[in-house]
Structure formats: structure tokens, C-alpha cells
Amino acid sequence: MPPLAASRWSDRLALLAFAGCLLALAWPILGWWLYEWTRHDSPSAYAPVVPVLSGLLLYQRRAALSAALVRPEPRALLGVAFALTVLLIATRRELLAAGSLALLTLVGFSLLFLLGAKKLRTLAVPLGLLLTLVPLPGPLLSDLTLGAQKLSTTLAAQCFGLLGLQPIQNGNTIQLGRYALEVEAPCSGFKLLLTLLVLGSAFTGLTDLPRPRKWLLLAGTLPLALLVNALRIVLVGLAGEAGGFSAAHRLHDASGYFSLGVCLVILFSVSKGLGCKTLCGHPLF
């Protein structure tokens, strides 16, 4: 075997060995990620589609990726060493959130060392989307859910008022004429908001819109998710007022995916109105 070919094989084996050791070290953290993705009412239930969307973003940038030269950055080894140290400490002390951050930092510096800054910049959007695979820490998740819960309840109460009803809001409860609507955490809209932000980010990245219009489209996902969720709560409340708890419960269970579908259709329509012609390079508009 020629010396150059032997060197390439040794580099590949070293890279595989490093990846295997990293996988073994990060296994408890990855197990936590999987648990958070699959538990009941998880706000990270969108996780299985993220690698697919990241792959589409990578495919869209294939020409720029091929054109960018590989120029390894040896100074990135300092970041690799630091992140690896933090990961070891976090894994030993079962600090899952800190370990997740260290793992992502380690992967980033490793790619910078292997590929160089220019090559890594072409991967910024696909890799950035993969960051959404990391579950939010419990305290932060609770605070964000509570905030979305209060805002959704207030918006829904205002919508009831616009319909001519006389809602009485007490915390996260809206009292209608005969039905008391309790806006619990699953109805907070945070799950819809987080899912729409992830899917909207990928969708925006796959369009051919100019950058300012992409930011405008992405910024619209926040009010859109809140408004659609408030309307969903209103429909559940109206069903409860007309048919009681069983009718409200049936509509609540069926309305989650419908709300997400409505949001995606609106995003698609708005992007077309902003002048988008292609999605992932294909004329789908």
C-alpha cells in the first residue's frame, strides 16, 4: 500500500476510534435526549424529523460545500480539550444539561479542527438545526411553558370577548356561561410554538427568499403559533359550552396536529406572497 493511502487509512481509523470513544462517553446524555423525545406530551416530539430536515439543508448547499476548501485548524484542539474535560466532569456528576452543551461544543471544535472555518461556515445552518435535538433543561422548560400558558389564556379570553361572550379569567381558568375551561400545560401552546419554530426555521432555510425576507418569515412564526393556539382554545371552549366536557375533550385531542397543519399552510402561503419560487431548489410554488 502506498504511503499516502496508508496515511489516509490511519487517519480514518483514528477518527473512527475517537467517534467511538465519544459515543461511549456521551451515552448517558444521548439516553436522556431519547427519553425527552419520546415521553408523553414531550415538547421535543419533533426530534425525529430534524435529521431529515438537516439533510435537506445540507443537500441544498452541496455546491457551496464542494467548493469550500478543507483547511484544518490546529488551534481548535484547545477547544476540543476544554470541551472534553467539561464533558467528562458533567457525565461523572450527571449534569445532563451541562453535558449536552459540552458535547455540542466538542463536536463543533472537532469539526473546526478537521474541516477549517470556511468549510464549517457552509455547514452552519444544517448544524444549527441539529442543535434543536437537545432537550431544554427542566427549570427553563417549566418557565417557558408557564409563560406561554398565561399568554395563551389571556389571548383566548380576549377572543371570547370579541365573540360577544362574557368570559371570566381566573389565572389559567376561563369561566364561560356553563363551562369552565382550564388551560393546562398541554394547551399552553409552547409545544406548538417550539415545533413551529424548528419546522419554520428549516422551511425558511430551504426557500430562495432574500435574507431579510427569510428573517421576516421566521419572525412571524412566534405570533402565528400563539394566535392559532388561542383560536384552538376558543374552539375547545365553545365545544365545551355547547356539548360539555366530553365534546371539549374530543376536540382537544384532535386539534393539536390540525393546528400545526394550519400554521404550516399559512407559512407556505406567506412565503409565496413574499416572492419565494423554489423550495430546496425545486419549483414547488
Side-chain angles (χ1 to χ4, degrees), residues 131-211:
L131 296 179
T132 62
L133 291 173
V134 182
L136 294 173
L140 179 59
L141 179 60
S142 298
D143 291 343
L144 292 175
T145 301
L146 182 60
Q149 189 176 6
K150 292 180 179 179
L151 186 54
S152 294
T153 305
T154 302
L155 287 174
Q158 292 175 352
C159 290
F160 281 123
L162 292 175
L163 292 175
L165 301 175
Q166 295 180 342
I168 300 175
Q169 181 180 351
N170 183 15
N172 294 321
T173 301
I174 301 175
Q175 180 65 53
L176 301 174
R178 296 179 299 171
Y179 182 71
L181 176 62
E182 182 75 22
V183 182
E184 299 179 347
C187 297
S188 66
F190 181 69
K191 181 178 179 180
L192 175 64
L193 174 60
L194 194 59
T195 302
L196 188 61
L197 284 175
V198 173
L199 298 183
S201 298
F203 179 81
T204 301
L206 291 171
T207 65
D208 62 349
L209 290 172
R211 185 169 297 178

Side-chain angles (χ1 to χ4, degrees), residues 6-237:
S7 176
R8 289 178 178 175
W9 274 107
S10 63
D11 290 343
R12 291 172 182 172
L13 289 175
L15 183 60
L16 286 175
F18 176 75
C21 293
L22 181 59
L23 180 62
L25 178 62
W27 193 254
I29 296 172
L30 297 178
W32 174 58
W33 291 9
L34 181 61
Y35 167 76
E36 289 294 331
W37 297 341
T38 56
R39 67 179 175 84
H40 179 64
D41 286 330
S42 169
S44 302
Y46 57 80
V49 303
V50 169
V52 177
L53 295 173
S54 183
L56 289 175
L57 289 166
L58 188 63
Y59 171 77
Q60 184 188 37
R61 290 157 174 76
R62 62 192 182 280
L65 185 62
S66 299
L69 298 177
V70 175
R71 292 180 177 176
E73 181 56 68
R75 291 176 296 180
L77 285 177
L78 295 175
V80 170
F82 173 76
L84 184 58
T85 303
V86 176
L87 179 60
L88 286 168
I89 296 173
T91 304
R92 184 176 181 84
R93 299 187 178 182
E94 298 183 351
L95 303 174
L96 298 177
S100 298
L101 181 60
L103 177 60
L104 295 175
T105 305
L106 177 58
V107 171
F109 275 114
S110 298
L111 290 175
L112 180 60
F113 168 71
L114 294 170
L115 303 177
K118 188 172 183 179
K119 195 84 166 181
L120 190 59
R121 277 196 295 269
T122 63
L123 298 172
V125 175
L127 292 178
L129 187 65
L130 290 178
L131 296 179
T132 62
L133 291 173
V134 182
L136 294 173
L140 179 59
L141 179 60
S142 298
D143 291 343
L144 292 175
T145 301
L146 182 60
Q149 189 176 6
K150 292 180 179 179
L151 186 54
S152 294
T153 305
T154 302
L155 287 174
Q158 292 175 352
C159 290
F160 281 123
L162 292 175
L163 292 175
L165 301 175
Q166 295 180 342
I168 300 175
Q169 181 180 351
N170 183 15
N172 294 321
T173 301
I174 301 175
Q175 180 65 53
L176 301 174
R178 296 179 299 171
Y179 182 71
L181 176 62
E182 182 75 22
V183 182
E184 299 179 347
C187 297
S188 66
F190 181 69
K191 181 178 179 180
L192 175 64
L193 174 60
L194 194 59
T195 302
L196 188 61
L197 284 175
V198 173
L199 298 183
S201 298
F203 179 81
T204 301
L206 291 171
T207 65
D208 62 349
L209 290 172
R211 185 169 297 178
R213 295 185 183 182
K214 286 188 176 184
W215 282 112
L216 179 62
L217 182 64
L218 185 59
T221 58
L222 175 59
L224 175 62
L226 292 173
L227 179 59
V228 169
N229 188 65
L231 295 177
R232 174 195 177 198
I233 295 173
V234 169
L235 291 176
V236 172

